[in-house]
Amino acid sequence: MTIEMLYSKIHRATVTDANLNYVGSITIDEELLEASKMRVGQKVEILNINNGERFSTYIILGERGKRDICLNGAAARKVHKGDKVIIVAYATYDEKDLETYKPCVVLLNDDNNIDHILDEI
């Protein structure tokens, strides 16, 4: 049996831009991607803390060190600059894999700098 579980989460990211005239996705700073173990092209869920919106998109690479969190295309209608969001990635695990299961949780401050990285929830 396989079970879908939390793989990684970037918690309380601040939206730096919303670009309606782009072909979908979320732009995430390269350093934040590395810290969260997320990948370019990976499907993620976006949870908007400010308005309760929940939607899916995929990741595109943001410039290292700029701390960009930008929603693009149709997703730009679901956020405003300054909103707080949670970016969540899931993975499917075999029961045996769950014996050593440890999701990655990256906690950010208001400037999208890494405040703390948790290796368990």
Side-chain angles (χ1 to χ4, degrees), residues 48-84:
N48 188 325
I49 295 170
N50 291 75
N51 64 20
E53 287 279 359
R54 299 173 72 101
F55 54 94
S56 299
T57 191
Y58 62 93
I59 298 169
I60 63 172
L61 186 62
E63 187 176 331
R64 178 178 288 277
K66 286 191 71 178
R67 297 300 185 252
D68 286 339
I69 300 291
C70 177
L71 278 299
N72 303 299
R77 295 224 184 256
K78 298 188 174 279
V79 300
H80 294 286
K81 186 175 177 179
D83 280 0
K84 293 290 186 184

Side-chain angles (χ1 to χ4, degrees), residues 12-14 16 32 67-69 108-114:
R12 294 189 61 85
T14 302
T16 58
L32 299 179
R67 297 300 185 252
D68 286 339
I69 300 291
L108 301 184
N109 66 18
D110 289 340
D111 297 317
N112 288 338
N113 290 308
I114 297 170

Side-chain angles (χ1 to χ4, degrees), residues 88-101:
V88 182
Y90 300 96
T92 303
Y93 295 86
D94 185 272
E95 283 189 71
K96 190 172 192 171
D97 295 328
L98 293 176
E99 294 172 14
T100 58
Y101 167 73

